[in-house]
């Protein structure tokens, strides 16, 4: 059924991702939980489905399917494995910096490789002493001829141990205009990845440390201009990080409801199913209600992104609502499971552990509330969705109507086969070269109930 924010192509994509997650990802969960280490081969297999390129324009070999499609991909993977959903969201977060600030040469070089799954990107901003205070970072880049020499350390870098191309924000001067961003390839002399540390949840996903010791990077690998680092970091976090993490929370939330409902139907108390007890129905009702509201906020926000409309506030709120409600529902589910929820033969304890990992990245709930409070007072510091609307808006040419539910990756084909090599006279519409009106994506008046 077509939902309010999705059409037939979105739902066909959802089914493909769901089928893949059930057949390819679910059988690996026990192994990932036992090893508590990054799952290299599965991460690559997922990347080669083409889903990392959901928002990459078709002219660069991507799906050109937009942010609603990206949310569907992450949600469906996260419903089965939040670790693999997190892997995809971190990679797509790594796409943002190139889409927003990459030169034409950088886009032509890296976006096709990312879209095909041959390159997994990351973004590295956070440091041990500064945390989420971006302006407090101490890592540096110093110009030396045609190169910059990077020194410093980054932590909590999503996909740190499988990343091929790291977007690194470092200090090149003083103050807010003293930050710059660079593309650093794995294997560059002076660059190394720290050992993976076991974490509470998201087993199979890596978020570790990167070290730069006199790491020499060509000046041509700078993103944007010198001094654009803060914009690279903020725009990536607001426009990709928040909705991506929202989608991971949404997938976990759906899994919580599915698992708990099944448990209540099969578990017997007083000679009848646990689901027949009034207090259990009330708890399930709260989980269902939270999920409906969370899903509405999530898909509304990314729908606005696809329309090229201002939506920073909606993105903040979606992350806040989804993270908090997923945690609350996971705790309710643990209470329903009681002692059964404490053991690893059931996944409910994994859902709770994984949900906690989505709280801090791209801003804790307090950060989202702080920014929303500033908006209410008329003191908002900027609107990235408005500034970069032309790079975010989904145009009709990017996900053709005549595909009729065909796989967007197959429909796009290779860059060469589609006749869309950047630089050719017959190339497709490129980002920044918009043609035609914004397409209205609202397909029908049906409510967003269950899965969209």
């Amino acid at each position: 059924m077509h939902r309010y924010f999705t059409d037939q192509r979105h739902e066909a994509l959802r089914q493909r991702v769901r089928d893949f997650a059930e057949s390819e990802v679910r059988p690996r969960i026990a192994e990932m939980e036992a090893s508590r280490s990054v799952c290299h081969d599965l991460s690559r297999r997922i990347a080669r489905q083409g889903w990392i390129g959901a928002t990459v324009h078709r002219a660069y070999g991507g799906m050109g399917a937009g942010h609603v499609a990206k949310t569907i991909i992450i949600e469906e993977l996260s419903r089965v494995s939040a670790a693999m959903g997190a892997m995809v969201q971190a990679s797509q977060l790594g796409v943002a910096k190139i889409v927003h600030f990459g030169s034409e040469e950088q886009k032509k070089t890296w976006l096709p490789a990312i879209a095909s799954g041959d390159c997994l990107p990351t973004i590295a901003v956070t440091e041990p002493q500064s945390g989420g205070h971006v302006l407090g970072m101490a890592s540096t880049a110093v110009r030396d001829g045609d190169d910059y020499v990077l020194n410093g350390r980054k932590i909590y870098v999503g996909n740190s141990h499988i990343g091929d191309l790291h977007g690194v924000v470092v200090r090149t001067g003083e103050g807010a205009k003293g930050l710059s961003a660079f593309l650093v390839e794995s294997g560059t002399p002076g660059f190394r990845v720290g050992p993976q540390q076991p974490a509470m949840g998201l087993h199979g996903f890596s978020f570790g440390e990167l070290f730069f010791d006199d790491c020499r990077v060509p000046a041509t690998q700078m993103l944007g201009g010198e001094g654009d680092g803060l914009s690279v970091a903020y725009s990536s976090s607001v426009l990709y990080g928040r909705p991506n993490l929202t989608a991971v929370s949404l997938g976990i939330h759906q899994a919580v409801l599915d698992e708990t409902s099944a448990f209540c139907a099969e578990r017997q108390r007083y000679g009848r199913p646990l689901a027949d007890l009034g207090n259990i129905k009330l708890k399930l009702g709260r989980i269902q209600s939270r999920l409906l509201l969370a899903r509405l906020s999530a898909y509304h926000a990314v729908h606005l992104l696809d329309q090229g409309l201002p939506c920073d506030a909606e993105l903040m709120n979606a992350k806040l609502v989804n993270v908090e409600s997923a945690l609350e529902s996971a705790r309710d589910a643990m209470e329903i499971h009681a002692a059964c929820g404490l053991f690893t033969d059931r996944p409910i304890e994994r859902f709770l552990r994984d949900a906690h990992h989505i709280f801090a990245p791209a801003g804790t709930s307090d950060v989202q509330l702080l920014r929303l409070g500033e908006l209410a007072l008329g003191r908002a510091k900027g609107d990235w969705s408005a500034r970069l609307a032309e790079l975010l808006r989904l145009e009709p040419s990017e996900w053709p109507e005549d595909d009729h539910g065909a796989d967007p990756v197959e429909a796009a084909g290779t860059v060469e086969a589609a006749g869309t090599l950047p630089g050719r006279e017959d190339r497709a519409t490129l980002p920044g070269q918009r043609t035609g009106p914004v397409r209205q994506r609202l397909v029908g008046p049906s409510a967003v109930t269950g899965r969209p």
Side-chain angles (χ1 to χ4, degrees):
M1 180 188 296
H2 289 187
R3 299 290 186 178
Y4 195 64
F5 297 116
T6 63
D7 60 25
Q8 182 179 355
R9 293 159 299 174
H10 289 117
E11 295 308 324
L13 173 63
R14 182 186 300 280
Q15 191 59 55
R16 281 191 296 277
V17 179
R18 186 176 298 172
D19 291 344
F20 178 93
E22 291 293 343
S23 63
E24 303 292 336
V25 178
R26 192 176 293 282
R28 302 290 299 276
I29 291 175
E31 174 190 340
M32 290 189 288
E33 287 297 306
S35 66
R36 302 182 71 179
S37 61
V38 62
C39 193
H40 293 269
D41 59 334
L42 183 57
S43 298
R44 292 290 173 180
R45 183 167 175 76
I46 293 172
R48 291 198 170 98
Q49 304 306 305
W51 296 328
I52 308 301
T55 61
V56 173
H57 198 280
R58 289 164 64 88
Y60 301 111
M63 291 171 63
H67 291 267
V68 170
K70 172 169 63 72
T71 295
I72 288 170
I73 292 165
I74 298 172
E75 178 193 352
E76 289 300 325
L77 287 170
S78 300
R79 187 181 63 84
V80 173
S81 167
M84 290 300 99
M87 186 281 293
V88 171
Q89 82 80 20
S91 296
Q92 290 174 334
L93 175 59
V95 168
K97 62 188 183 293
I98 303 175
V99 170
H100 297 163
F101 289 91
S103 66
E104 186 60 27
E105 187 61 32
Q106 289 168 343
K107 290 178 180 179
K108 287 160 57 177
T109 299
W110 293 111
L111 291 182
I114 290 169
S116 67
D118 292 329
C119 173
L120 285 173
T122 78
I123 190 163
V125 178
T126 306
E127 297 187 2
Q129 302 306 316
S130 57
H133 177 46
V134 178
L135 289 177
M137 70 172 58
S139 295
T140 60
V142 177
R143 185 74 184 247
D144 183 18
D146 293 333
D147 300 329
Y148 280 83
V149 180
L150 276 61
N151 282 282
R153 173 188 176 196
K154 298 292 180 180
I155 60 172
Y156 309 140
V157 178
N159 287 341
S160 52
H161 291 76
I162 60 173
D164 303 299
L165 183 69
H166 306 278
V168 186
V169 180
V170 290
R171 186 162 290 287
T172 51
E174 299 297 325
K177 291 294 185 181
L179 300 181
S180 302
F182 298 87
L183 295 173
V184 181
E185 298 177 57
S186 292
T188 302
F191 166 82
R192 64 185 175 89
V193 181
Q196 185 178 0
Q197 301 294 327
M200 173 181 172
L202 295 186
H203 300 150
F205 172 65
S206 70
F207 47 105
E209 296 180 278
L210 306 182
F211 295 88
F212 304 88
D213 301 302
D214 291 331
C215 179
R216 187 171 290 271
V217 177
T220 55
Q221 290 180 209
M222 177 183 283
L223 284 163
E226 190 165 302
D228 283 339
L230 190 64
S231 295
V232 171
Y234 278 0
S235 66
S236 299
S237 177
V238 172
L239 301 178
Y240 275 71
R242 284 170 180 160
N244 289 4
L245 292 159
T246 293
V248 176
S249 290
L250 189 57
I252 295 171
H253 205 161
Q254 183 67 58
V256 166
L257 178 64
D258 293 345
E259 178 66 24
T260 307
S261 298
F263 175 79
C264 291
E266 71 184 34
R267 195 75 171 179
Q268 295 287 315
R269 278 296 179 270
Y270 313 116
R272 56 182 183 169
L274 196 61
D276 287 351
L277 298 178
N279 64 322
I280 298 299
K281 289 180 183 178
L282 287 174
K283 284 186 179 293
L284 285 174
R286 279 195 292 268
I287 295 173
Q288 178 74 81
S289 177
R290 290 190 200 107
L291 180 58
L292 291 172
L293 290 170
R295 175 163 283 114
L296 184 62
S297 69
Y299 277 86
H300 176 237
V302 289
H303 168 77
L304 293 175
L305 267 185
D306 278 346
Q307 299 299 304
L309 297 173
C311 58
D312 283 33
E314 286 83 358
L315 294 168
M316 295 175 205
N317 189 60
K319 205 257 179 179
L320 170 70
V321 168
N322 273 268
V323 167
E324 291 294 334
S325 61
L327 283 167
E328 289 176 14
S329 290
R331 286 192 286 266
D332 276 348
M334 285 291 290
E335 290 180 10
I336 291 172
H337 280 75
C340 293
L342 302 176
F343 295 90
T344 57
D345 61 328
R346 294 183 179 272
I348 203 69
E349 56 87 31
R350 169 166 61 90
F351 300 154
L352 181 59
R353 288 188 286 107
D354 289 347
H356 278 285
H357 279 260
I358 315 303
F359 179 79
T364 65
S365 294
D366 280 351
V367 170
Q368 311 306 328
L369 289 169
L370 178 65
R371 298 294 175 239
L372 289 169
E374 290 171 347
L375 178 69
L377 293 167
R379 301 174 186 170
K381 293 181 170 61
D383 197 331
W384 286 106
S385 52
R387 292 189 206 179
L388 299 176
E390 289 301 307
L391 295 175
L392 298 166
R393 184 179 296 128
L394 180 65
E395 292 293 324
S397 62
E398 295 185 47
W399 197 358
E401 289 284 0
D402 59 6
D403 286 347
H404 296 300
D407 191 324
V409 178
E410 294 176 2
T414 63
V415 177
E416 293 84 356
T420 57
L421 260 177
R424 287 189 185 173
E425 292 300 318
D426 62 346
R427 68 184 180 272
T429 302
L430 297 179
Q433 297 176 303
R434 299 302 180 180
T435 60
V438 177
R439 175 166 55 185
Q440 180 58 268
R441 307 285 284 175
L442 303 187
V443 185
S446 57
V448 185
T449 56
R451 300 186 184 96

